Coordinates of all heavy atoms in Angstrom, one line a residue:
M430 N 8.9 38.7 70.4 CA 9.8 38.5 71.6 C 10.7 37.3 71.3 O 10.2 36.2 71.0 CB 9.0 38.3 72.9 CG 9.9 38.3 74.1 SD 9.0 37.9 75.6 CE 8.2 39.5 75.9
D431 N 12.0 37.6 71.3 CA 12.9 36.4 71.1 C 13.2 35.6 72.3 O 12.7 36.0 73.4 CB 14.2 36.9 70.4 CG 15.1 37.7 71.3 OD1 14.9 37.7 72.5 OD2 16.0 38.4 70.8
E432 N 13.9 34.6 72.2 CA 14.1 33.6 73.3 C 14.8 34.3 74.5 O 14.5 34.1 75.7 CB 15.0 32.5 72.8 CG 14.9 31.2 73.7 CD 16.0 30.2 73.4 OE1 16.6 30.4 72.3 OE2 16.1 29.3 74.1
R433 N 15.8 35.2 74.1 CA 16.5 35.9 75.2 C 15.6 36.8 76.0 O 15.6 36.8 77.2 CB 17.7 36.7 74.6 CG 18.5 37.5 75.6 CD 19.5 38.4 74.9 NE 20.4 39.0 75.9 CZ 20.1 40.1 76.6 NH1 18.9 40.7 76.5 NH2 20.9 40.6 77.5
E434 N 14.8 37.6 75.3 CA 13.8 38.5 75.9 C 12.8 37.7 76.8 O 12.5 38.2 77.9 CB 13.1 39.3 74.9 CG 13.9 40.5 74.3 CD 13.1 41.2 73.2 OE1 11.9 41.5 73.4 OE2 13.7 41.3 72.1
A435 N 12.4 36.6 76.3 CA 11.4 35.8 77.0 C 12.0 35.3 78.3 O 11.4 35.3 79.3 CB 10.9 34.6 76.1
S436 N 13.3 34.9 78.2 CA 13.9 34.3 79.4 C 14.2 35.5 80.4 O 14.0 35.3 81.6 CB 15.3 33.7 79.0 OG 15.9 33.2 80.1
L437 N 14.6 36.6 79.9 CA 14.8 37.8 80.7 C 13.6 38.2 81.5 O 13.6 38.4 82.7 CB 15.3 38.9 79.8 CG 16.0 40.1 80.5 CD1 17.2 39.7 81.3 CD2 16.4 41.1 79.4
E438 N 12.5 38.2 80.7 CA 11.2 38.6 81.3 C 10.8 37.6 82.4 O 10.3 37.9 83.5 CB 10.1 38.6 80.2 CG 8.8 39.1 80.7 CD 8.2 40.1 79.8 OE1 8.8 41.2 79.5 OE2 7.1 39.8 79.3
N439 N 11.0 36.3 82.1 CA 10.7 35.2 83.0 C 11.4 35.4 84.4 O 10.9 35.1 85.4 CB 11.1 33.9 82.3 CG 10.4 32.8 82.9 OD1 9.2 32.9 83.4 ND2 11.0 31.6 82.8
Y440 N 12.7 35.8 84.3 CA 13.5 35.9 85.5 C 13.4 37.2 86.2 O 13.6 37.3 87.4 CB 15.0 35.7 85.1 CG 15.5 34.3 85.0 CD1 15.8 33.8 83.7 CD2 15.5 33.4 86.1 CE1 16.2 32.4 83.6 CE2 16.0 32.1 86.0 CZ 16.3 31.6 84.7 OH 16.7 30.4 84.6
M441 N 13.0 38.3 85.5 CA 12.9 39.6 86.1 C 11.9 39.6 87.2 O 10.8 39.1 87.1 CB 12.5 40.6 85.1 CG 13.7 41.4 84.5 SD 14.9 42.0 85.7 CE 16.2 42.4 84.5
G442 N 12.3 40.1 88.4 CA 11.4 40.2 89.5 C 11.5 38.9 90.3 O 11.0 38.8 91.4
G443 N 12.2 37.9 89.8 CA 12.4 36.7 90.6 C 13.8 36.4 90.9 O 14.6 37.4 90.9
W444 N 14.2 35.2 91.3 CA 15.5 34.9 91.7 C 16.4 34.6 90.5 O 16.0 33.9 89.6 CB 15.5 33.7 92.6 CG 16.9 33.3 93.1 CD1 17.6 32.3 92.6 CD2 17.6 33.9 94.1 NE1 18.8 32.3 93.3 CE2 18.9 33.3 94.2 CE3 17.4 35.0 95.0 CZ2 19.8 33.6 95.1 CZ3 18.4 35.4 95.9 CH2 19.6 34.7 96.0
W445 N 17.6 35.2 90.5 CA 18.6 34.9 89.4 C 19.6 33.9 89.9 O 20.2 34.1 91.0 CB 19.2 36.2 89.0 CG 18.4 36.9 87.9 CD1 17.4 37.7 88.1 CD2 18.7 36.8 86.5 NE1 16.9 38.2 86.9 CE2 17.7 37.6 85.9 CE3 19.6 36.2 85.7 CZ2 17.6 37.8 84.5 CZ3 19.5 36.4 84.3 CH2 18.5 37.2 83.7
D446 N 19.9 32.9 89.2 CA 21.0 32.0 89.5 C 22.4 32.5 89.0 O 23.4 31.8 89.2 CB 20.8 30.6 88.9 CG 19.6 30.0 89.6 OD1 19.4 30.2 90.8 OD2 18.8 29.2 89.0
G447 N 22.3 33.6 88.2 CA 23.6 34.1 87.6 C 23.9 33.1 86.5 O 23.1 32.5 85.8
C448 N 25.3 33.0 86.3 CA 25.7 32.0 85.2 C 25.2 30.6 85.6 O 25.4 30.2 86.7 CB 27.2 32.1 85.2 SG 27.9 30.8 84.1
S449 N 24.7 29.9 84.6 CA 24.1 28.6 84.9 C 25.2 27.6 85.1 O 24.9 26.5 85.7 CB 23.2 28.2 83.7 OG 24.0 27.7 82.6
Q450 N 26.4 27.9 84.8 CA 27.5 26.9 85.0 C 28.3 27.2 86.3 O 28.6 26.3 87.0 CB 28.5 27.0 83.9 CG 27.9 26.7 82.5 CD 28.5 25.5 81.8 OE1 29.6 25.0 82.2 NE2 27.9 25.1 80.7
C451 N 28.6 28.4 86.6 CA 29.4 28.7 87.8 C 28.8 29.7 88.7 O 29.4 30.1 89.7 CB 30.8 29.3 87.3 SG 30.7 30.9 86.7
S452 N 27.5 30.1 88.5 CA 26.8 31.0 89.4 C 27.4 32.4 89.5 O 27.1 33.1 90.4 CB 26.6 30.4 90.8 OG 25.9 29.2 90.7
A453 N 28.3 32.7 88.6 CA 28.9 34.1 88.6 C 27.8 35.1 88.5 O 26.8 34.9 87.8 CB 29.9 34.3 87.5
W454 N 27.9 36.2 89.2 CA 27.0 37.4 89.2 C 25.7 37.1 89.9 O 24.8 38.0 89.9 CB 26.7 37.8 87.7 CG 28.0 38.2 87.0 CD1 28.7 37.4 86.1 CD2 28.8 39.3 87.3 NE1 29.8 38.0 85.8 CE2 29.9 39.2 86.4 CE3 28.7 40.5 88.1 CZ2 31.0 40.2 86.4 CZ3 29.6 41.4 88.1 CH2 30.8 41.3 87.2
C455 N 25.5 35.9 90.4 CA 24.2 35.6 91.1 C 24.0 36.7 92.2 O 22.9 37.3 92.3 CB 24.3 34.2 91.7 SG 23.0 33.8 92.8
D456 N 24.9 36.9 93.1 CA 24.7 37.8 94.3 C 24.5 39.2 93.8 O 23.7 39.9 94.3 CB 25.9 37.7 95.2 CG 26.0 36.4 96.0 OD1 24.9 35.7 96.0 OD2 27.0 36.1 96.5
E457 N 25.4 39.6 92.8 CA 25.3 41.0 92.3 C 23.9 41.3 91.7 O 23.4 42.3 91.9 CB 26.4 41.2 91.2 CG 27.8 41.3 91.8 CD 28.5 39.9 92.0 OE1 27.8 38.9 91.9 OE2 29.7 39.9 92.2
I458 N 23.4 40.3 91.0 CA 22.1 40.5 90.3 C 21.0 40.6 91.4 O 20.1 41.4 91.4 CB 21.8 39.4 89.3 CG1 22.8 39.6 88.1 CG2 20.4 39.6 88.7 CD1 22.8 38.4 87.2
N459 N 21.0 39.6 92.3 CA 19.9 39.5 93.3 C 20.0 40.7 94.3 O 19.0 41.1 94.9 CB 20.0 38.2 94.0 CG 19.5 37.1 93.1 OD1 18.4 37.1 92.5 ND2 20.3 36.1 92.9
D460 N 21.2 41.3 94.5 CA 21.4 42.4 95.4 C 21.0 43.7 94.7 O 21.0 44.8 95.4 CB 22.8 42.4 95.9 CG 23.0 41.4 97.0 OD1 22.0 40.7 97.4 OD2 24.2 41.1 97.4
A461 N 20.9 43.8 93.4 CA 20.6 45.0 92.7 C 19.3 45.6 93.2 O 18.4 44.9 93.4 CB 20.6 44.8 91.2
E462 N 19.4 46.9 93.4 CA 18.2 47.6 94.0 C 17.0 47.8 93.1 O 15.9 47.9 93.5 CB 18.7 48.9 94.6 CG 19.4 48.7 95.9 CD 20.2 50.0 96.3 OE1 19.9 51.0 95.8 OE2 21.1 49.8 97.2
T463 N 17.4 47.9 91.8 CA 16.3 48.2 90.8 C 16.4 47.3 89.6 O 17.5 46.7 89.4 CB 16.4 49.6 90.3 OG1 17.6 49.8 89.6 CG2 16.3 50.7 91.4
D464 N 15.3 47.1 88.9 CA 15.3 46.3 87.7 C 16.3 46.8 86.7 O 16.9 46.0 85.9 CB 13.9 46.2 87.1 CG 13.1 45.1 87.8 OD1 13.6 44.4 88.7 OD2 11.9 45.0 87.5
E465 N 16.4 48.1 86.6 CA 17.3 48.7 85.7 C 18.8 48.3 86.0 O 19.5 48.0 85.1 CB 17.3 50.3 85.7 CG 16.0 50.9 85.1 CD 14.8 50.7 85.9 OE1 14.9 50.5 87.2 OE2 13.7 50.7 85.4
K466 N 19.1 48.4 87.3 CA 20.5 48.0 87.7 C 20.7 46.5 87.4 O 21.8 46.1 86.9 CB 20.6 48.3 89.2 CG 22.0 48.1 89.8 CD 22.9 49.2 89.4 CE 24.4 48.8 89.8 NZ 25.4 49.6 89.1
K467 N 19.7 45.7 87.7 CA 19.8 44.3 87.5 C 20.0 44.0 86.0 O 20.9 43.3 85.6 CB 18.4 43.7 87.9 CG 18.4 42.3 88.3 CD 17.1 41.8 88.7 CE 16.8 41.9 90.2 NZ 15.7 41.1 90.7
Q468 N 19.2 44.7 85.2 CA 19.4 44.5 83.7 C 20.7 44.9 83.2 O 21.3 44.3 82.4 CB 18.3 45.3 83.0 CG 18.4 45.2 81.5 CD 17.1 44.7 80.9 OE1 16.0 45.0 81.4 NE2 17.2 44.0 79.8
Q469 N 21.2 46.0 83.8 CA 22.6 46.5 83.4 C 23.6 45.4 83.7 O 24.5 45.2 82.9 CB 22.8 47.8 84.2 CG 24.1 48.5 83.6 CD 24.5 49.7 84.5 OE1 23.7 50.2 85.3 NE2 25.7 50.1 84.4
I470 N 23.6 44.8 84.9 CA 24.6 43.8 85.2 C 24.5 42.6 84.3 O 25.5 42.1 83.8 CB 24.4 43.3 86.7 CG1 24.6 44.5 87.7 CG2 25.4 42.2 87.0 CD1 24.1 44.2 89.1
I471 N 23.2 42.2 84.0 CA 23.0 41.1 83.1 C 23.5 41.4 81.7 O 24.2 40.6 81.1 CB 21.5 40.8 83.1 CG1 21.1 40.2 84.4 CG2 21.2 39.7 82.0 CD1 19.6 40.4 84.7
D472 N 23.2 42.6 81.2 CA 23.6 43.0 79.9 C 25.1 43.0 79.7 O 25.7 42.6 78.7 CB 23.0 44.4 79.5 CG 21.6 44.3 79.2 OD1 21.0 43.2 78.9 OD2 20.9 45.4 79.2
E473 N 25.8 43.5 80.8 CA 27.2 43.6 80.7 C 28.0 42.3 81.0 O 29.1 42.2 80.5 CB 27.7 44.6 81.8 CG 27.3 46.1 81.4 CD 27.7 47.1 82.4 OE1 28.2 46.7 83.5 OE2 27.3 48.3 82.2
N474 N 27.3 41.4 81.7 CA 28.1 40.2 82.1 C 27.6 38.8 81.7 O 28.4 37.9 81.7 CB 28.2 40.3 83.6 CG 28.9 41.5 84.1 OD1 30.1 41.7 83.9 ND2 28.1 42.4 84.8
L475 N 26.3 38.8 81.4 CA 25.8 37.4 81.0 C 25.3 37.4 79.6 O 24.7 38.4 79.1 CB 24.7 37.1 82.0 CG 25.0 36.8 83.4 CD1 23.7 36.5 84.2 CD2 26.0 35.8 83.6
T476 N 25.4 36.3 78.9 CA 24.9 36.1 77.6 C 24.0 35.0 77.6 O 24.2 33.9 78.2 CB 26.1 35.8 76.6 OG1 27.1 36.9 76.7 CG2 25.6 35.7 75.2
H477 N 22.8 35.2 76.9 CA 21.9 34.1 76.8 C 22.3 33.2 75.6 O 22.4 33.7 74.5 CB 20.4 34.6 76.5 CG 19.4 33.6 76.7 ND1 18.6 33.2 75.6 CD2 18.9 33.0 77.8 CE1 17.8 32.3 76.0 NE2 17.9 32.1 77.3
Y478 N 22.6 32.0 75.9 CA 23.2 31.1 74.8 C 22.7 29.7 75.0 O 22.7 29.1 76.1 CB 24.7 31.1 74.9 CG 25.4 30.4 73.8 CD1 25.6 30.9 72.6 CD2 25.9 29.1 74.1 CE1 26.2 30.2 71.6 CE2 26.5 28.4 73.1 CZ 26.7 28.9 71.8 OH 27.3 28.2 70.8
A479 N 22.1 29.2 73.9 CA 21.6 27.8 73.9 C 20.6 27.6 75.1 O 20.6 26.6 75.7 CB 22.7 26.8 74.0
G480 N 19.8 28.6 75.3 CA 18.7 28.5 76.3 C 19.1 28.7 77.8 O 18.3 28.7 78.7
V481 N 20.4 29.0 78.0 CA 20.8 29.3 79.4 C 21.6 30.6 79.4 O 22.1 31.1 78.4 CB 21.7 28.2 80.0 CG1 20.8 26.9 80.1 CG2 22.9 27.9 79.2
W482 N 21.8 31.2 80.7 CA 22.6 32.4 80.8 C 24.0 32.0 81.3 O 24.2 31.2 82.2 CB 22.0 33.3 81.9 CG 20.7 33.8 81.4 CD1 19.4 33.2 81.7 CD2 20.4 35.0 80.7 NE1 18.4 34.0 81.0 CE2 19.0 35.1 80.4 CE3 21.3 36.0 80.1 CZ2 18.5 36.1 79.7 CZ3 20.7 37.0 79.4 CH2 19.3 37.1 79.2
L483 N 25.0 32.5 80.5 CA 26.4 32.2 80.8 C 27.2 33.5 81.0 O 27.0 34.4 80.3 CB 27.0 31.4 79.7 CG 26.3 30.0 79.4 CD1 26.8 29.4 78.1 CD2 26.6 29.1 80.5
C484 N 28.2 33.4 81.9 CA 29.2 34.5 82.0 C 30.2 34.3 80.9 O 30.2 33.3 80.1 CB 29.9 34.4 83.4 SG 31.1 33.0 83.5
E485 N 31.0 35.3 80.7 CA 31.9 35.3 79.6 C 32.9 34.1 79.6 O 33.1 33.5 78.5 CB 32.8 36.6 79.6 CG 33.3 37.0 78.2 CD 34.0 38.4 78.3 OE1 33.5 39.3 78.9 OE2 35.1 38.4 77.8
D486 N 33.4 33.8 80.7 CA 34.3 32.6 80.8 C 33.7 31.3 80.4 O 34.2 30.5 79.6 CB 34.9 32.5 82.2 CG 35.9 33.5 82.5 OD1 36.4 34.2 81.6 OD2 36.3 33.6 83.7
C487 N 32.4 31.1 80.9 CA 31.7 29.9 80.6 C 31.3 29.8 79.2 O 31.2 28.8 78.6 CB 30.6 29.6 81.6 SG 31.1 29.3 83.3
L488 N 30.9 31.0 78.7 CA 30.5 31.1 77.3 C 31.6 30.6 76.4 O 31.4 29.8 75.4 CB 30.0 32.5 76.9 CG 29.6 32.7 75.5 CD1 28.3 31.9 75.2 CD2 29.4 34.2 75.2
N489 N 32.8 31.1 76.7 CA 34.0 30.7 75.9 C 34.3 29.2 76.0 O 34.6 28.6 75.0 CB 35.2 31.5 76.4 CG 35.1 33.0 76.0 OD1 34.4 33.3 75.0 ND2 35.8 33.9 76.7
D490 N 34.1 28.7 77.2 CA 34.3 27.2 77.4 C 33.3 26.4 76.6 O 33.7 25.5 75.9 CB 34.0 26.9 78.9 CG 35.2 27.2 79.8 OD1 36.3 27.6 79.2 OD2 35.1 27.0 81.0
V491 N 32.0 26.8 76.7 CA 31.0 26.1 75.9 C 31.2 26.2 74.4 O 31.2 25.1 73.7 CB 29.6 26.7 76.3 CG1 28.5 26.1 75.3 CG2 29.2 26.3 77.7
K492 N 31.6 27.3 74.0 CA 31.9 27.5 72.5 C 33.1 26.7 72.1 O 33.1 26.0 71.1 CB 32.1 29.0 72.2 CG 30.7 29.7 72.1 CD 31.0 31.1 71.6 CE 29.6 31.8 71.3 NZ 29.8 33.3 71.0
A493 N 34.1 26.7 73.0 CA 35.3 25.9 72.7 C 35.0 24.4 72.6 O 35.5 23.7 71.7 CB 36.4 26.2 73.7
R494 N 34.2 24.0 73.5 CA 33.8 22.6 73.6 C 33.0 22.2 72.3 O 33.2 21.1 71.7 CB 33.0 22.3 74.8 CG 33.6 21.2 75.7 CD 32.7 20.9 76.9 NE 32.8 22.0 77.9 CZ 31.8 22.4 78.7 NH1 30.7 21.7 78.7 NH2 32.0 23.4 79.5
E495 N 32.1 23.1 71.9 CA 31.3 22.8 70.7 C 32.1 22.7 69.5 O 31.8 22.0 68.6 CB 30.2 23.9 70.6 CG 29.0 23.7 71.5 CD 28.0 24.8 71.4 OE1 28.2 25.7 70.6 OE2 27.0 24.7 72.1
E496 N 33.2 23.5 69.5 CA 34.0 23.5 68.3 C 35.0 22.4 68.3 O 35.7 22.1 67.4 CB 34.8 24.9 68.2 CG 33.9 26.0 67.7 CD 34.5 27.4 68.0 OE1 35.7 27.4 68.4 OE2 33.7 28.4 68.0
G497 N 35.0 21.7 69.5 CA 35.9 20.5 69.6 C 37.3 20.8 69.8 O 38.2 20.1 69.3
Ligands
ZN1115 ZN1 30.2 31.1 84.4

């Protein structure tokens, strides 16, 4: 199990904060009726990066910052 899977497993069934920087998708994920639906929203919109979940905008910000 990789780090992303471990994190996903850890959060599944519990509360999602959505994007760790801007909380995007938080409501959508927590309102999802099934784990499948939840996972689909996560797969489509959040990326596990450097130990946290980020939306596409924040992922681009973080990467841009890292590249200086
Ligand atoms: Zn974000």
Side-chain angles (χ1 to χ4, degrees):
M430 186 184 285
D431 68 17
E432 199 194 350
R433 181 186 185 278
E434 282 175 50
S436 181
L437 195 57
E438 185 134 302
N439 202 28
Y440 278 112
M441 261 317 163
W444 180 261
W445 274 81
D446 293 325
C448 172
S449 77
Q450 301 235 354
C451 72
S452 298
W454 302 103
C455 173
D456 291 344
E457 287 85 346
I458 294 166
N459 289 303
D460 286 348
E462 285 164 17
T463 64
D464 278 357
E465 286 74 23
K466 184 78 188 158
K467 207 179 263 196
Q468 175 124 34
Q469 191 189 337
I470 298 169
I471 294 158
D472 285 344
E473 286 174 4
N474 301 292
L475 295 179
T476 302
H477 192 249
Y478 184 78
V481 295
W482 293 92
L483 296 170
C484 70
E485 203 176 313
D486 285 349
C487 292
L488 179 65
N489 290 335
D490 278 357
V491 168
K492 283 186 171 171
R494 236 179 292 150
E495 281 179 357
E496 283 161 16

